[in-house]
Amino acid sequence: MLPEAMDDRTLLAASQLHRENLMEVTLLGHGDTVRKRAREINASIENVAVLDPASSIDMERFTTLYYEKMRAKGITRDEAARQMKQPLYFGAMMVSTGMSDGSVAGATNTTAETVRAALRCIGLQPGCSLVSSFFMMLLKNSLLGHQGALLFADCAVVPTPDASQLADIAIATARNTRLLLDTEPKVALLSFSTKGSAQHPLVDKVVEAVRTARERNPKLQVDGELQTDAALVPTVGSMKAPGSLVAGSANTLIFPDLQSGNIAYKLVERMAGAEAIGPILQGLRRPANDLSRGCKPEDIVNTAVITALQASRDPI
């Protein structure tokens, strides 16, 4: 489901998703207005469903559900009704109730707005303490990661995760590595130190996060603290972290904070020519994903396909 139907990129993406028979798509917006704009930009959506939240028979039910979720936080029923008229919130409630398998937004809404709607309407997955994100990075060098593909986290949502949150991010990202790359995740928690080569509280946080992740998921192949070269390059990994099951062959990179993760994915994208797909949200009870406001139609298509894959797992 795509709630930002008045954005041209969304209309073009919906047209491609339908034309290539990738999935069933629902657009949110006033039907006549949306279809008129689609004709103006030659986006073929004649057979794509367009749902107007304002006239939906589910508006009252969704308002009640949202009010029940949020009234303990001080929201009034009138405020609930106003928010539910926003396509972003109406769409998130469609996902929450199972009317839609997932949503993709962020072409016109900020990440904060997209995540807030998802958290309030859909909620966290049991066992997860937070919503985080990852990028799927497709590199030209097929020798790195899994045939050139890696997951980077968190690059968009959590600014300064503590050790427990970093462990949650690692475990959640590993699940998506298995789902999207169809391979066993090898998770490296990154630092400026490898196995005690430097002493600093920032290193201590990563070491504690590794220990916590192993306690929570003993079967997970996770290691750290590792520098990036030790995580990715076999010769460096064997020298700096001998005996590690992850060093030199990591396919999932967990950054110690948002600053480093965001910088890293943009450097790899712009300087190494990698394709960056995301940010993809994780930790939610059902899939709802974010876009960059600078996204292209093909970015929306890619994110929608990943959202469909996430939804293919057994619902929580």
Side-chain angles (χ1 to χ4, degrees):
M1 179 270 306
L2 305 175
E4 298 165 324
M6 287 311 297
D7 183 86
D8 289 355
R9 297 162 296 174
T10 299
L11 295 174
L12 292 167
S15 176
Q16 182 179 342
L17 289 165
H18 178 74
R19 183 175 66 252
E20 297 181 5
N21 199 30
L22 293 172
M23 65 191 68
E24 293 184 12
V25 180
T26 299
L27 293 163
L28 297 188
H30 185 270
D32 292 343
T33 305
V34 170
R35 294 191 188 281
K36 178 177 182 293
R37 182 56 187 164
R39 289 192 295 270
E40 291 171 351
I41 64 171
N42 296 315
S44 178
I45 63 165
E46 289 80 5
N47 297 310
V48 173
V50 180
L51 175 62
D52 185 0
S55 60
S56 171
I57 61 173
D58 293 299
M59 177 58 77
E60 185 66 23
R61 179 169 70 96
F62 283 4
T63 297
T64 300
L65 287 172
Y66 184 65
Y67 172 64
E68 292 298 326
K69 287 174 179 283
M70 296 299 297
R71 66 176 179 174
K73 296 187 177 180
I75 193 170
T76 67
R77 187 174 178 85
D78 286 345
E79 290 170 335
R82 282 197 297 273
Q83 287 198 326
M84 204 45 55
K85 289 176 183 176
Q86 300 176 30
L88 189 63
Y89 279 81
F90 189 90
M93 194 59 75
M94 286 177 66
V95 176
S96 179
T97 58
M99 283 182 60
S100 178
D101 291 326
S103 69
V104 176
T108 60
N109 289 282
T110 66
T111 293
E113 291 165 338
T114 304
V115 172
R116 188 180 302 116
L119 269 175
R120 290 179 174 180
C121 296
I122 300 170
L124 290 171
Q125 189 176 28
C128 281
S129 65
L130 78 170
V131 172
S132 60
S133 71
F134 67 88
F135 277 83
M136 184 161 68
M137 306 297 297
L138 306 179
L139 310 180
K140 294 180 179 179
N141 185 352
S142 62
L143 298 179
L144 296 176
H146 177 65
Q147 299 173 1
L150 300 100
L151 267 59
F152 283 19
D154 178 4
C155 304
V157 177
V158 186
T160 53
D162 60 26
S164 178
Q165 292 172 327
L166 204 57
D168 269 1
I169 292 169
I171 292 168
T173 310
R175 291 195 202 104
N176 280 300
T177 297
R178 185 177 286 108
L179 173 71
L180 299 175
L181 303 188
D182 194 26
T183 190
E184 188 66 23
K186 292 190 173 184
V187 185
L189 275 72
L190 301 181
S191 177
F192 58 85
S193 168
T194 296
K195 297 298 182 179
S197 63
Q199 304 295 319
H200 193 277
L202 292 175
V203 176
D204 296 340
K205 181 183 80 167
V206 176
V207 172
E208 183 182 347
V210 172
R211 183 165 53 246
T212 302
R214 286 172 173 166
E215 290 172 355
R216 293 176 183 172
N217 190 338
K219 295 182 179 180
L220 181 63
Q221 292 188 44
V222 57
D223 204 1
E225 84 285 14
L226 295 172
Q227 291 164 285
T228 304
D229 56 352
L232 295 175
V233 182
T235 53
V236 179
S238 62
M239 178 180 64
K240 289 188 174 183
S244 171
L245 298 176
V246 173
S249 60
N251 53 32
T252 307
L253 302 184
I254 308 301
F255 296 88
D257 56 30
L258 179 57
Q259 186 165 238
S260 57
N262 190 270
I263 291 168
Y265 104 78
K266 289 182 183 290
L267 280 173
V268 174
E269 179 185 29
R270 300 298 179 180
M271 297 182 70
E275 182 178 0
I277 301 175
I280 307 298
L281 300 182
Q282 54 189 6
L284 291 166
R285 188 169 57 86
R286 294 176 182 269
N289 281 317
D290 184 36
L291 298 160
S292 165
R293 280 176 289 171
C295 66
K296 302 181 289 293
E298 52 265 38
D299 297 324
I300 302 176
V301 170
N302 288 337
T303 303
V305 169
I306 290 177
T307 304
L309 286 171
Q310 288 180 310
S312 70
R313 295 183 296 197
D314 292 336
I316 300 299

